[in-house]
Amino acid sequence: MKETENIRNTLRRHRFLCGELTQQDLADKVGVSRQTIVTLEKGQYNPSVALALRLAAFFKTSVEELFQLEEDS
Amino acid sequence: MAGMTPVGMVAGMLVFLGALLAVTVDMRFLLLTGMGAFGPGFLRVSGVLKDQDEFARLATYKAGYYASLFAGSAAIILISGLKAGTVDLDDSASQAFTIILAIIWLVSVFASLHRYWGVQKAVFRILIIFGSLWFVFVVLSHGNEPLTALMESLVVLPFFILAWVSLRWPRVAGALIVTLGIFCFFLFRMYQFDRIGFMSTFLTFLLFICPLLVAGLALLLKKQEDNDNNFTDGGEDHV
């Protein structure tokens, strides 16, 4: 049984599309620490449903657009 | 959580002050250390203190799980050793508790730093913490002998230099830290258990040699993708 699912995300791209928003700015907007954004972007941490929804709402997109399951190789 | 937050600073000061007063005035001041070490956790689980986001909470919970695994295993080994007579502690109750507490503290600090910051930043912080603690210890030990204090405080320089090296050349720093750990193992003659007693040998190994070896090995075994280029905490990095 896998401990965690491999999930890729498009946070970096969305930050870029939001006028090169800094990680700290994004962290402040969604109420987490910058380190959380860093680990999210690197795919080392899978967010809770609540945080995924907050991020999607901030970027005015869907959770599926931000986070996708990686296919098993 | 692992950074210098106001809560962390107050907790750290309580731990340090409690340990200092316990050694110099009265052992009952150790309660202050306990308040600093476990107080924030109690306040968090009771919902009074809300200073962690979900990632920090997960790191803390995972660190607690690892600490319970290691401390539980150590407790089983210790109990079987004491019962079988293969481990001999002078003041068995307090010494056994000290060993278990030291393991809980060490594993949880290491695991939470590692989980929260990643290998490289965690090792950097561990080396800075160790160097600082040693410096404080030297200053307190030789407060009235400035020249001796200055000479002995030079020993902390390798920690700060290695911390700097670990951010730039992690593998080199890893090899150097492991070498330093092995050198200290032989320097303090850790293999001679009966020289300074089991307790002193064990705690020296656990609180000094072990962190060096773990930090060094973590850097050596670190995956390439763990590289974190965001060493500034200012949040100025862009895509």
Side-chain angles (χ1 to χ4, degrees):
Chain A
M1 187 182 289
K2 279 166 41 174
E3 188 189 359
T4 55
E5 292 286 350
N6 291 329
I7 295 178
R8 65 171 177 270
N9 67 74
T10 54
L11 281 175
R12 272 175 176 260
R13 188 163 65 83
H14 276 85
R15 273 203 301 122
F16 178 74
L17 294 173
C18 252
E20 297 196 5
L21 191 70
T22 65
Q23 291 174 328
Q24 186 63 61
D25 286 341
L26 176 59
D28 293 341
K29 300 281 185 198
V30 296
V32 294
S33 66
R34 175 174 170 263
Q35 190 62 21
T36 302
I37 302 297
V38 170
T39 47
L40 275 174
E41 287 189 355
K42 289 199 290 188
Q44 292 174 348
Y45 171 62
N46 297 336
S48 66
V49 175
L51 178 56
L53 287 168
R54 282 209 303 277
L55 286 163
F58 174 75
F59 287 121
K60 295 185 175 59
T61 184
S62 63
V63 172
E64 290 85 350
E65 175 64 30
L66 274 182
F67 300 98
Q68 302 92 33
L69 274 176
E70 277 186 344
E71 297 296 325
D72 283 333
S73 53
Chain B
M1 55 125 241
M4 265 298 153
T5 60
V7 174
M9 283 175 72
V10 172
M13 280 171 61
L14 278 175
V15 168
F16 178 72
L17 196 66
L20 184 69
L21 291 173
V23 173
T24 55
V25 183
D26 191 303
M27 281 310 281
R28 277 173 286 195
F29 279 109
L30 215 51
L31 289 173
L32 274 182
T33 299
M35 280 170 63
F38 302 111
F42 276 113
L43 292 176
R44 283 178 191 128
V45 294
S46 60
V48 176
L49 189 61
K50 293 170 181 166
D51 63 330
Q52 292 184 318
D53 68 356
E54 59 176 59
F55 178 58
R57 268 198 304 277
L58 181 73
T60 307
Y61 291 164
K62 279 202 168 184
Y65 178 61
Y66 290 131
S68 73
L69 285 178
F70 278 90
S73 306
I76 294 290
I77 293 168
L78 205 56
I79 290 167
S80 65
L82 285 168
K83 290 285 183 191
T86 51
V87 176
D88 184 26
L89 299 176
D90 301 332
D91 176 12
S92 60
S94 72
Q95 291 197 353
F97 283 129
T98 305
I99 289 172
I100 300 301
L101 278 173
I103 290 172
I104 289 173
W105 177 78
L106 197 71
V107 174
S108 61
V109 166
F110 265 52
S112 62
L113 282 174
H114 172 253
R115 177 67 194 165
Y116 192 75
W117 292 111
V119 173
Q120 225 167 323
K121 283 184 177 180
V123 170
F124 175 79
R125 280 162 172 78
I126 287 165
L127 290 171
I128 294 293
I129 289 169
F130 260 75
S132 306
L133 285 178
W134 198 336
F135 180 72
V136 170
F137 175 73
V138 167
V139 169
L140 288 176
S141 305
H142 303 285
N144 49 355
E145 307 161 81
L147 194 63
T148 312
L150 184 70
M151 293 302 288
E152 287 203 13
S153 61
L154 290 178
V155 178
V156 306
L157 269 182
F159 286 91
F160 293 113
I161 293 169
L162 283 171
W164 183 79
V165 173
S166 72
L167 292 183
R168 279 139 191 93
W169 303 286
R171 305 258 186 244
V172 175
L176 289 173
I177 293 168
V178 169
T179 308
L180 181 66
I182 294 170
F183 173 75
C184 290
F185 182 87
F186 287 101
L187 181 73
F188 297 139
R189 288 187 270 172
M190 290 285 99
Y191 47 88
Q192 292 179 342
F193 272 99
D194 52 349
R195 196 173 60 87
I196 53 173
F198 173 80
M199 190 65 184
S200 302
T201 310
F202 181 82
L203 286 181
T204 307
F205 180 78
L206 191 74
L207 299 176
F208 186 76
I209 311 282
C210 198
L212 285 177
L213 292 177
V214 170
L217 287 174
L219 281 179
L220 283 175
L221 301 174
K222 186 174 79 74
K223 289 182 202 161
Q224 199 60 42
E225 60 264 29
D226 285 345
N227 260 329
D228 184 352
N229 295 320
N230 304 321
F231 288 119
T232 56
D233 286 346
E236 292 305 316
D237 46 316
H238 300 285
V239 176

